[in-house]
């Protein structure tokens, strides 16, 4: 479609363009989110080939702009629901979202929104990955007691 071949690349260029104003970048992210809500307009080839790379670049260009951080979060939220395999969230979404947890310009409500989305995506991806492992014939061991990262005192001599 023309949306996937013409409009999406143009929107992505505005999203990551260093010469684009903050307002233009925010509007571009909102336009992308609207397109992402319409799967026929953003087929998997556009999602994987154009949109994800642009979002990754955009995340690195937030530059202390909370409005932009929230737009990026919204786009990734939609992308996570659209990925062909849910476990791809681990590779294609979360690595870009984790740095938002350290974005100092977010207020408490915005920070909690990022935390909620990251936790939800992680749960979804882990469940999908466990399902993949179960289908493959291997049983997923249940978590066993104790925290493996907990401090253990030195054994008494």
């Amino acid at each position: 479609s023309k949306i996937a071949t013409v409009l999406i690349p143009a929107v992505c260029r505005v999203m990551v363009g260093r010469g684009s104003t903050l307002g233009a970048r925010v509007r571009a992210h909102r336009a992308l989110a609207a397109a992402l809500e319409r799967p026929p307009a953003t087929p998997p080839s556009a999602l994987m080939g154009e949109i994800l790379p642009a979002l990754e670049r955009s995340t690195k260009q937030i530059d202390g702009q909370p409005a932009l951080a929230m737009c990026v979060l919204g786009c990734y939220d939609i992308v996570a629901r659209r990925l062909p395999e849910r476990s791809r969230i681990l590779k294609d979404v979360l690595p870009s979202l984790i740095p938002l947890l350290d974005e100092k310009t977010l207020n408490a409500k915005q920070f909690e929104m990022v935390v909620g989305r990251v936790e939800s995506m992680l749960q979804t991806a882990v469940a999908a990955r466990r399902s993949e492992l179960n289908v493959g014939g291997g049983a997923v061991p249940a978590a066993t007691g104790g925290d493996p990262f907990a401090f253990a005192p030195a054994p008494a001599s």
Side-chain angles (χ1 to χ4, degrees), residues 93-109:
V93 175
L94 287 175
S96 293
L97 285 183
I98 296 297
L100 289 182
L101 293 169
D102 193 42
E103 178 56 53
K104 304 299 186 219
T105 60
L106 298 179
N107 64 34
K109 185 177 179 182

Side-chain angles (χ1 to χ4, degrees), residues 80 116 123 135:
Q123 286 177 343
V135 168

Side-chain angles (χ1 to χ4, degrees), residues 15-45:
M15 283 174 30
V16 299
R18 285 289 185 184
S20 299
T21 65
L22 175 61
R25 291 173 68 200
V26 166
R27 283 189 298 279
H29 282 83
R30 292 176 81 183
L32 178 63
L36 284 166
E37 291 285 2
R38 294 163 183 80
T42 51
S45 59

Side-chain angles (χ1 to χ4, degrees), residues 104-125:
K104 304 299 186 219
T105 60
L106 298 179
N107 64 34
K109 185 177 179 182
Q110 292 166 329
F111 172 75
E112 290 303 328
M113 188 177 291
V114 173
V115 169
R117 297 276 170 73
V118 167
E119 287 176 339
S120 174
M121 287 180 197
L122 182 59
Q123 286 177 343
T124 298

